[in-house]
Amino acid sequence: MTHDNPFGASSYLTMGAVLVPSINLPKIRKDLELMRGKIDAKELHCTDLSHGQVAFCAREVKKLRMLAFGVISKKSTIGDYRKSIEGEKQAQDYYNKCAQYLFELVGAYVGKKELGA
């Protein structure tokens, strides 16, 4: 979405992933649940939150012991790839390709740091 067109689908697809030390997972789950309760939200998903709630969550999440990764794709820049995914499943194929990039990013980090080895 843009300021000129604040309604409708965004021109970007964003995805995120986090790596959490297994030992910290119960505490992080508890902290996220407490955060959800503080803002009285059904879900902690940006599409369901106000700008103020998103800002609050961002400040709180940065305090948690986790490593965040993100992928941002501008839909209009997929060029020739659009032709190879034409049809009913185009949106799903585009989503899957972005998810693949995210998994590759996280996997490369895990491999470089030899995590889980």
Side-chain angles (χ1 to χ4, degrees):
M1 295 181 290
T2 66
H3 293 293
D4 296 332
N5 183 17
F7 303 103
S10 170
S11 57
Y12 295 91
L13 174 67
T14 61
M15 290 184 167
V18 294
L19 288 178
V20 177
S22 298
I23 196 166
N24 293 353
L25 195 52
K27 181 184 180 327
I28 288 177
R29 284 186 175 142
K30 180 182 173 191
D31 291 343
L32 291 172
E33 186 59 29
L34 289 170
M35 185 186 328
R36 190 192 62 73
K38 284 181 182 177
I39 61 173
D40 193 30
K42 187 176 179 180
E43 299 276 337
L44 288 178
H45 193 283
C46 291
T47 58
D48 300 326
L49 304 177
S50 69
H51 175 74
Q53 290 171 318
V54 170
F56 171 80
C57 289
R59 286 190 303 272
E60 293 299 306
V61 164
K62 78 175 187 173
K63 298 174 188 175
L64 302 177
R65 184 158 184 243
M66 62 174 72
L67 187 60
F69 298 83
V71 169
I72 301 172
S73 176
K74 187 170 184 182
K75 295 173 185 175
S76 65
T77 64
I78 64 172
D80 290 338
Y81 178 65
R82 183 183 312 272
K83 293 175 190 160
S84 70
I85 61 170
E86 282 180 334
E88 291 178 12
K89 295 181 1 182
Q90 184 179 48
Q92 185 65 51
D93 289 345
Y94 174 61
Y95 179 92
N96 291 348
K97 180 56 81 174
C98 291
Q100 177 185 345
Y101 292 145
L102 181 59
F103 287 133
E104 288 173 355
L105 176 66
V106 174
Y109 179 86
V110 168
K112 182 178 178 181
K113 297 294 184 177
E114 298 180 0
L115 301 176

